[in-house]
Amino acid sequence: MVRGFLLINPRAGTESPTVEELCEAARARGIHAHVLREGEDPSELARRAEADVLGAAGGDGSVASVAMIAVERDLPFVVVPYGTRNHFARDLGLDCDDPLAALDEFKGEERRVDVGRAGERRFLNNVSLGVYAALVHRREHHRRRREALAGMRALWLSLRGRRGIWATVDGEPVRARILLVANNAYDLSVFSIGERKRLDEGRLHLYSARGVLPHGWDERSGERFQLDAPGKVEAALDGEPVELETPLELAIEPGALRVLVPRSQH
């Protein structure tokens, strides 16, 4: 019998189904469900789990943390969309409005998808640097302090900075105020990250936007990039605030994640 382990983030943002309903549905399928408690490390829980298949129910941040352990342990991985934003689940072609149906993926078909790497950290979706990354960091800081209008203040502070050249990529100066390194190609508009048609292209796509109110994106692609800047850089990795040491190698790991999808999906 396949041993499935599902880590559930109760704070991911979805109200339906309830955590209790999700746990009950998982256990009815023979899946061990663990609800993440305050202070618990999802990566360590996934690393220690006695399981043949790892799964995560949450948004992109929760999903990514467990997916990276699945890569590390070379185990199949199941995505249960259970957050306010489910970009990776959407790009896999899953029904993000039906988390309970996603539990059937524990007996689904395996599909190999790419994973990005920023230094020693892996990512599923993208790494952003510059204005957006600064916004994510300040938003988190103000949220912890419970300040009102934190988002607007964070945006204003972010737009004041990052002028001129603040980094280089492969030795070329970065003048863009926003830099996005994506695991496979996105359909982008100026202020919105769209969908990815593929997750197995085997390439990173680097998008840069200049100006306070950019009108479009410059794009280039490759299997790896080298980013350098004075000291550490603030980044948002799959939407989570992190600091990364430079020089920083950004690379693609083709087919590194064994993800399970519904048997009807091709």
Side-chain angles (χ1 to χ4, degrees):
M1 180 177 178
V2 174
R3 296 172 299 172
F5 175 80
L6 177 67
L7 187 66
I8 301 171
N9 182 359
R11 298 173 293 279
T14 299
E15 296 181 356
S16 179
T18 65
V19 171
E20 291 74 18
E21 289 170 337
L22 185 57
C23 286
E24 182 179 346
R27 290 163 184 157
R29 292 167 170 81
I31 302 163
H32 175 70
H34 179 92
V35 179
L36 190 65
R37 303 183 186 94
E38 189 72 34
E40 285 187 320
D41 184 339
S43 297
E44 283 304 312
L45 290 169
R47 188 174 284 114
R48 296 196 307 265
E50 295 182 3
D52 302 306
V53 180
L54 294 177
D60 286 305
S62 307
V63 165
S65 63
V66 180
M68 296 309 104
I69 304 305
V71 172
E72 180 183 301
R73 296 182 59 181
D74 192 28
L75 291 177
F77 177 66
V78 168
V79 182
V80 177
Y82 199 59
T84 51
R85 291 180 294 276
N86 302 287
H87 293 154
F88 184 66
R90 175 202 64 194
D91 295 345
L92 273 176
L94 305 181
D95 183 355
C96 294
D97 295 324
D98 195 353
L100 295 181
L103 294 172
D104 293 333
E105 295 163 29
F106 277 87
K107 295 183 179 179
E109 295 179 345
E110 184 173 311
R111 175 183 169 191
R112 289 268 183 177
V113 300
D114 303 336
V115 170
R117 180 172 52 79
E120 299 301 316
R121 295 173 178 263
R122 292 186 173 100
F123 59 93
L124 290 178
N125 298 326
N126 57 69
V127 178
S128 60
L129 305 106
V131 167
Y132 177 74
L135 170 60
V136 170
H137 278 257
R138 290 192 172 98
R139 182 183 63 198
E140 181 69 14
H141 171 71
H142 292 305
R143 182 167 58 191
R144 289 175 180 174
R145 292 176 57 185
R146 299 181 181 179
E147 290 189 7
L149 303 177
M152 290 300 295
R153 180 181 179 185
L155 179 60
W156 180 76
L157 290 171
S158 298
L159 290 174
R160 291 196 308 169
R162 294 287 186 247
R163 295 180 179 177
I165 298 168
W166 56 277
T168 63
V169 174
D170 293 341
E172 297 181 11
V174 175
R175 294 182 174 85
R177 298 167 73 88
I178 303 173
L179 196 65
L180 183 76
V181 183
N183 172 22
N184 289 260
Y186 278 98
D187 292 328
L188 293 180
S189 62
V190 176
F191 292 109
S192 175
I193 296 178
E195 298 183 9
R196 289 171 288 182
K197 293 183 173 66
R198 292 183 59 181
L199 294 174
D200 59 357
E201 180 191 1
R203 296 182 73 79
L204 294 178
H205 286 254
L206 189 149
Y207 303 94
S208 54
R210 303 180 185 182
V212 175
L213 296 176
H215 299 289
W217 298 86
D218 296 327
E219 178 184 356
R220 54 177 147 161
S221 65
E223 295 180 0
R224 65 187 64 244
F225 299 103
Q226 186 85 6
L227 183 140
D228 204 0
K232 296 180 180 180
V233 291
E234 290 183 338
L237 190 137
D238 284 334
E240 300 296 318
V242 298
E243 286 191 338
L244 300 172
E245 297 278 357
T246 60
L248 177 68
E249 182 185 67
L250 299 149
I252 194 80
E253 297 183 1
L257 178 62
R258 302 165 57 192
V259 67
L260 298 181
V261 297
R263 289 191 176 276
S264 60
Q265 182 174 318
H266 299 286

